[in-house]
Each structure stands twice: as C-alpha cells, then as structure tokens.
Amino acid sequence: MINIGRQVVRMNEGWRFQPDAANLGEQGEWQAIGLPSPITVTVPHTWNVQEGLEDYRGAGWYEYTLSIPEDWRGCRIRIHFEAVYRDAVIWINGQHAGSHWNSGYTAFEIDLSANIKYGAENRITVKVNNSNSDQALPIGNSFDWADDGGIIRPVQLIVTGQTAIKQVKISPEVQFGQAGHQAAGKVIAEMQLCGPSVTATVEIGIFKDEVRIWHDVRTIPPGAVTWQLTDVKLSPVELWHFDQPHLYQIQLTLREEGQVEDHTAVNFGFREIAVKGHELWLNREPVRLMGVEWMPGSNPVSGMAEKQEDLVAMLERLKEANCVITRFHWQQGSELLDWCDRNGILVQEEIPHWQQPAEPDQHTFALALSQATEMITDHSHHPCIFAWGMGNELNGQSEITRQYMKQLKQEILRLDASRIINYVSNTIHFQPGSDATGAGDLLMWNDYIGTWHGDLDEHEVIKQIIADYPDKPIVVAEYGLCEPVYEGGDARRTEILRQKTEIYRQYPQFAALIFFSLNDYRTQMGEDGEGKLKQRVHGSLDIHNRVKPSFAALREISSPLLLTEASVRCEGELEVTLKCRNDIPSYAVHGYYVTVSSADEAAVSQAVPAMQPGDILSLSIPVSANSVQQQVLTVYRPNGFSVLKQELNK
C-alpha cells in the first residue's frame, strides 16, 4: 500500500440507470432480467424528471464501473452517499456490500474493501426504491414535497489507510468575558475511527483564513476507536453571525508508525444562540429575525437531484430577500449547509415527520431517533444550524404527541445539547397551553388564520398563547397563501405578508417570522400542474426562479434598515438618512456600507457606522455632479449582499 493519506474520487459521471417496475432484479445482477437497455446519467440523478417516469414510484437500478489500481491494495475503500431516496441496497462485483433503509435524506457510507478487485475493473450496483412506505419517515404519501427517487446527492469513493477517520464531531464553545472584551473560544473535538488504533498519532491544526493558529500532535491509546480533544482554548475568536459568518477549520492527520493513514478537514464556527425568557439571543444580543422557507427540489429540470448551481441560485434569492433564517422540512446535503455557513443563514433542520402518524408510536420514535442520529452526527459542525426540528403538523393537541416530543427532545439533547430543539405546530391556536409545541425550546406556529385555520381573531389567539407561555419566544414557522385552494393571487399573498407581519411586530414575544414560501414548489400533493410540474402555488418565486411582485414586498419588509431620506443637499453631496428597525427585524448592524453608482462613473463607497435597533443616522456622501446616467444608491451587508437599493432623482 502506498503512503496514501486520503484520496477522494467523485463519482458523478458515467452511471448507468434503468427502472425496474416489475422489481425483478436481485443480487445485483440486473443486466440479466430482460429490462430495456440502461441510459447513461450524471449523479445527482432522479428519474422523476425524466419523460415517462414523472409519476413512477418503484425500483430503479444504477451501475458504475471504475478501475481500482494495484497500489490501493491494503487500503480501506469506502463509498459515501450524500443521500439516496429512499431505500438502497449496494453490491460490489455482485457481492452484497450494505444497505440503507427508511431514510431518504441522510448520508451513509459503506466499506467496500473486502470485495474489491485490485488492478481491475470493479462494478458497483445500487438498487433504489422510492415506493410509498409505512415503515419510513416521511410515512406513505402524506408529505408535502416531491418524492423523487434516485441517487439524489453526490457520491464519493474515499480511499485511506486501514486506520481511518470515520467521523469528526466539533463542539465549539464561546466564552464571553466582561463587556467590551472580545470573546474566547474552546474547541472540543471527538474523532471516531473505522477500526481500533495500534500505534496511532493524530496531528491537529486549527486554521483561520488559511493561517494556522494552533497546532499539536497527540497519541491515541492502543485499541481506541474514539478519541477526544478537550483542552484547546483560543483567544480572541471572531464570532459567526449571519452578517459576518467567520469560519475556522480543524485539520486532522492520522498516522500509524509514522505513515499517513488518513487526513480530513472540518469547518466550524464560534457562536452562541440561546433562549432567554421570551427572547432569542445571538452572541449575547437579543434579536428578532425575518426569514422565509425555501422548498428545495422544485426546479423541474433537476428535481431533488439538485446540482450546486441549482442550490446557489435559490440560496442567493433567499439572501436577496433580506432573510436570515429558514427551516427545512427534511434533511439537507452538505453543499447546501456549507453555503449557509459561508454566507450567513440560520437554519432549522428537521426530521421529515410531516402530519402522519398524527399520534406517533414507538415505531415512529425509533425511526425519528435513527434519522436524528444520522442528521446530527453528520451536520453538528455547521454553525448555520441553530435548531433541530422534531416534526411538523402532527396532532399537537394530543397528550400522546406532547409526551412523544418530550421524550424525543431528551434523546436529541444527548446527541447535541448545544442547540435549540423544537416541534412545529399547526394546532396551538386551539388550546395553546396543552399543545405539543410547548415541549420545545421555542413555540413554533404555522399560522394560517384567515385561510386553512378559518376566520379566528388573530389578536385573541396571540394573547392566549402569550398568557399560556409568558417565558417562551414565539416563532411563526409558516404564514402565507396557498393557491389555487385559496384565491386572490400574488396580490393577496402580499396583503397577507404585510398585514400579519404588522400584527406580529406589535408583540415583543415574537422572536422570528418565517414566511411560507420563497418559491412555488414541486410536491406530490400539488393542486396545480401534472407530472414533474405538479406543484403548490405558494411562493414569491415560480418554480423557474422568476420573481413575482410579492418578492419585492418580502425584501422590503425583511430589511433591517429603512432609507428615510436620500437627497442632494448641495452640489456634489448626497444626504442619506437611515433608520435601524426596532421591531421585526431587529438587530444591530455592523460593517454595512453604502455605494452610489452609475453606468458611466465608478461607484463611490462609504462605511455605515454601527447602529443599534432604533438608531437614526445621517450620512453625507460625495457624488459626481457630472454623471449623465441614473445614479443608484445601494446599502450592503458586510458579506456583500444588498439590503436596499434606490434610484436617485436627477
């Protein structure tokens, strides 16, 4: 075996695929069962955007052939699937290698080493089945998004020495000092090995902006399969915030008898998010946040098999809307979460327990805990994730559901005690004090008073919720308009957004609002369209990422800054007055800047001094009096996303 460290082979191009409606193939020998000739596809892939297979639920087969060099003999060779929807069985060279059941959005990997042929071609076969299942989460066909089948996220071959790193869990802690002093940080890392160590050492480096700021070499006890790093303290540290998403990286190099066996790197960030009474605090600052939910998998060209460019296009729209918080009904991939880490979006990632069973039992509990374990093990290093979600829209008024959520929360706390844990309810408006969302750290309410929930008195409902939970923040996890069930079009969507937001702003107990939704979305429950275009019309963007008028309203409402004046006071000088909102959204702004630009002259840029909620600030900006083109004033966040833009009168 060569001194290999770690090699990663991206397995994107050259897969062969064919459906198997009769479910004939077994033992990985699908070529011999008389199916039509396979087609060549690129992974990520789903068959549910292919012509003729848009509504197909059943078995599908994938095959990949790759050459394994002789000098990999003695290596550990694993295949890592970011997600396969849903049930997957894997063979290598006709030999069963492993499987993954009942969870279509969590990552898994399988060791192929025992059946590899070195110096030869190797055939990997994957059988995937997206049939409805009462054994899985989500259950049956009771969920409101697309059930696209296939290898829907990237696949990698990971080649290491026999002593290899299976998983790294990073638990950074922020240590705040006295007011006016920068925070310090503590790094706790736990490394799991694929096999017991013999004479292993691990070299640890911690980096900020590619500069190493801490380094050491430690010995791993013989026979150990886990190892912990607990004594690293860094001072000062730069905190992760949605406006200034500072990231660090830990690099681990594993050696046996001086030979590099494995090497990996994990990004992380220092930030504290906590509930204090009815307030949500980020890095010791009370914040009230504005957000929107994006439903992935909605581009009819790619479906759930989204490429990086698909993800980025939608995430940039979310940031363009001035939204800094979101939630996902199901587990997401590492590429999406990495982008949120780098660009600043707070995320609640959820177990896909949607409506059914309305009163969960112990079978459901085992499924949920298994998925929570996979989700948290894989994603706990992401600073963007502020909360884990236990489910959405069950029978929240049931004592069975309430006790279930309490029990599940305790188990999730054992996996990760550093994050908020919530259940999202659409029943709290009935009897708030007995609703299952009370088991979470936040009250999360899908509010459809005026549509799905009838014509209740919004203020009376809110006052009762506050009376029953005086010391818990409220997050509106969904509010909006679903067409065509409810009429009024995008104009009514904008009206609901404006009216309800103004109501929530009146009550300091509301810590965050998440509008539903950013986009019209593909879903098997859709009332509009057919096949791969079956959708719910609920968004401020259509399924092709084209904006509707309500998108501008969302961007305006979500801005932390208001432009109250922009006028030329004297020749060559622009007077700008900004107000920092103090309702929703409400948070301090640091590092913002303003530009004045035109098509025929270079932009003029000026820093915006730090502002606290409620502050009003006037700036004098020198501008050219010679420009003949329309001048545009733009205010930007520190990471380059615009907050507001206005054309100036000539």
Side-chain angles (χ1 to χ4, degrees):
M1 184 189 78
I2 60 173
N3 191 17
I4 197 166
R6 172 178 289 217
Q7 292 191 32
V8 176
V9 180
R10 299 188 182 277
M11 300 169 64
N12 299 330
E13 305 292 335
W15 287 85
R16 293 174 294 282
F17 164 77
Q18 61 179 325
D20 181 7
N23 199 24
L24 298 174
E26 292 296 338
Q27 304 301 320
E29 298 297 336
W30 56 281
Q31 299 94 333
I33 60 178
L35 295 175
S37 299
I39 62 172
T40 300
V41 300
T42 299
V43 165
H45 172 264
T46 174
W47 57 73
N48 291 110
V49 294
Q50 290 182 206
E51 186 176 354
L53 296 177
E54 295 92 340
D55 297 314
Y56 174 62
R57 296 182 181 95
W61 290 86
Y62 292 86
E63 185 181 77
Y64 190 89
T65 304
L66 76 164
S67 179
I68 302 293
E70 180 65 38
D71 58 9
W72 284 4
R73 188 180 295 275
C75 293
R76 186 181 294 274
I77 301 176
R78 294 171 284 163
I79 189 168
H80 181 90
F81 293 90
E82 188 75 21
V84 176
Y85 192 83
R86 188 195 55 248
D87 297 333
V89 185
I90 296 90
W91 290 266
I92 174 73
N93 297 319
Q95 302 298 311
H96 179 262
S99 57
H100 190 245
W101 301 95
N102 303 324
S103 180
Y105 305 112
T106 52
F108 64 98
E109 65 180 37
I110 293 169
D111 196 324
L112 304 178
S113 307
N115 293 298
I116 290 289
K117 297 177 181 178
Y118 297 95
E121 294 288 304
N122 287 256
R123 179 166 52 90
I124 296 170
T125 309
V126 184
K127 182 182 181 181
V128 182
N129 197 313
N130 74 331
S131 300
N132 295 331
S133 171
D134 291 334
Q135 303 302 311
L137 281 178
I139 284 178
N141 64 349
S142 66
F143 51 100
D144 187 20
W145 56 87
D147 56 344
D148 291 346
I151 303 177
I152 60 170
R153 293 186 189 142
V155 183
Q156 296 179 340
L157 200 71
I158 301 172
V159 185
T160 65
Q162 281 296 317
T163 304
I165 300 169
K166 182 177 182 180
Q167 193 72 45
V168 179
K169 181 181 180 181
I170 310 297
S171 303
E173 296 178 1
V174 184
Q175 299 174 334
F176 291 93
Q178 296 179 346
H181 293 268
Q182 286 187 278
K186 181 179 180 180
V187 180
I188 300 172
E190 181 178 288
M191 181 174 67
Q192 294 185 15
L193 303 180
C194 288
S197 69
V198 181
T199 60
T201 62
V202 58
E203 180 181 2
I204 315 108
I206 298 177
F207 294 78
K208 178 70 171 72
D209 300 327
E210 300 183 354
V211 176
R212 191 172 70 182
I213 58 175
W214 191 90
H215 176 259
D216 202 0
V217 177
R218 304 287 176 89
T219 299
I220 299 176
V225 293
T226 62
W227 173 83
Q228 277 197 329
L229 179 73
T230 61
D231 59 350
V232 179
K233 294 184 178 181
L234 305 174
S235 182
V237 294
E238 295 182 277
L239 300 182
W240 189 97
H241 184 279
F242 51 78
D243 273 343
Q244 295 173 320
H246 295 292
L247 291 175
Y248 291 74
Q249 185 179 84
I250 187 168
Q251 296 185 8
L252 302 169
T253 302
L254 194 63
R255 292 182 174 88
E256 286 274 10
E257 298 182 346
Q259 177 169 288
V260 175
E261 296 281 300
D262 198 0
H263 175 85
T264 193
V266 179
N267 292 332
F268 66 95
F270 292 98
R271 59 110 183 91
E272 180 188 76
I273 191 160
V275 171
K276 294 188 178 183
H278 66 261
E279 294 180 324
L280 183 65
W281 285 52
L282 175 61
N283 298 332
R284 301 291 170 96
E285 175 199 1
V287 295
R288 301 178 74 192
L289 307 176
M290 191 69 199
V292 67
E293 184 174 349
W294 160 44
M295 297 290 281
S298 294
N299 186 322
V301 175
S302 57
M304 282 290 183
E306 290 164 307
K307 309 297 191 292
Q308 179 73 359
E309 55 268 27
D310 301 322
L311 300 172
V312 170
M314 293 304 298
L315 288 164
E316 287 180 340
R317 284 291 200 198
L318 197 151
K319 292 290 287 189
E320 182 185 349
N322 271 320
C323 293
V324 299
I325 185 171
T326 192
R327 59 182 284 238
F328 294 105
H329 282 56
W330 64 95
Q331 300 95 339
Q332 301 302 310
S334 59
E335 290 180 336
L336 185 155
L337 296 173
D338 285 342
W339 197 95
C340 294
D341 285 343
R342 293 191 307 271
N343 294 279
I345 298 175
L346 287 165
V347 171
Q348 174 165 302
E349 188 176 27
E350 300 175 11
I351 300 163
H353 190 178
W354 196 89
Q355 291 198 354
Q356 298 296 326
E359 294 184 332
D361 55 19
Q362 288 306 301
H363 170 73
T364 312
F365 183 86
L367 285 174
L369 183 56
S370 173
Q371 288 201 18
T373 301
E374 291 184 328
M375 173 176 70
I376 293 169
T377 299
D378 207 42
H379 293 165
S380 64
H381 65 280
H382 289 285
C384 69
I385 298 177
F386 79 97
W388 305 116
M390 299 184 288
N392 181 77
E393 295 190 351
L394 309 182
N395 181 4
Q397 293 286 292
S398 164
E399 183 62 20
I400 292 173
T401 305
R402 186 177 176 89
Q403 293 303 319
Y404 170 91
M405 293 302 168
K406 287 182 176 180
Q407 182 187 7
L408 185 56
K409 180 183 175 184
Q410 291 306 308
E411 293 300 323
I412 292 175
L413 278 171
R414 292 187 177 94
L415 297 169
D416 181 7
S418 69
R419 285 180 171 86
I420 293 166
I421 303 168
N422 305 309
Y423 159 67
V424 182
S425 174
N426 67 340
T427 55
I428 190 173
H429 53 276
F430 291 121
Q431 295 289 333
S434 60
D435 198 83
T437 193
D441 296 310
L442 298 168
L443 304 176
M444 299 199 78
W445 177 28
N446 290 347
D447 173 20
Y448 290 105
I449 291 174
T451 55
W452 298 107
H453 295 161
D455 293 324
L456 303 175
D457 187 302
E458 188 93 35
H459 289 280
E460 285 187 7
V461 170
I462 291 171
K463 289 174 182 177
Q464 188 61 57
I465 294 172
I466 292 170
D468 288 350
Y469 299 97
D471 293 324
K472 280 198 175 183
I474 305 169
V475 173
V476 181
E478 292 181 20
Y479 65 114
L481 177 72
C482 188
E483 304 172 69
V485 175
Y486 293 97
E487 298 178 349
D490 201 57
R492 189 180 179 195
R493 177 170 298 107
T494 302
E495 179 184 10
I496 289 172
L497 170 63
R498 291 191 183 279
Q499 289 182 348
K500 283 185 176 281
T501 301
E502 286 305 314
I503 291 173
Y504 305 141
R505 282 171 170 166
Q506 298 174 33
Y507 298 90
Q509 289 80 5
F510 285 90
L513 312 177
I514 302 175
F515 186 64
F516 191 79
S517 66
L518 180 65
N519 58 325
D520 298 341
Y521 57 97
R522 296 175 61 251
T523 169
Q524 59 178 343
M525 300 182 73
E527 301 94 346
D528 195 47
E530 296 181 353
K532 66 180 180 180
L533 298 177
K534 193 173 185 181
Q535 62 187 279
R536 302 193 94 171
V537 182
H538 210 149
S540 294
L541 306 169
D542 68 13
I543 60 172
H544 303 287
N545 194 8
R546 296 177 298 211
V547 299
K548 306 177 189 178
S550 61
F551 183 83
L554 178 62
R555 173 175 163 83
E556 173 199 338
I557 287 169
S558 303
S559 172
L561 294 177
L562 301 176
L563 180 64
T564 61
E565 184 179 10
S567 59
V568 177
R569 291 298 189 190
C570 59
E571 189 69 21
E573 191 166 282
L574 176 69
E575 185 79 8
V576 174
T577 302
L578 297 171
K579 180 180 179 180
C580 188
R581 293 201 72 109
N582 61 354
D583 43 32
I584 301 176
S586 173
Y587 48 86
V589 300
H590 300 276
Y592 284 48
Y593 60 98
V594 59
T595 67
V596 179
S597 61
S598 64
D600 60 341
E601 292 194 354
V604 175
S605 180
Q606 185 167 315
V608 176
M611 300 177 68
Q612 296 293 322
D615 284 355
I616 297 175
L617 175 72
S618 292
L619 297 173
S620 293
I621 304 172
V623 294
S624 172
N626 300 320
S627 175
V628 297
Q629 298 292 324
Q630 181 71 55
Q631 291 182 310
V632 178
L633 181 147
T634 310
V635 180
Y636 291 94
R637 297 177 186 269
N639 51 1
F641 294 97
S642 71
V643 173
L644 55 86
K645 182 180 291 187
Q646 181 169 312
E647 293 185 352
L648 303 175
N649 294 326
K650 292 295 290 180

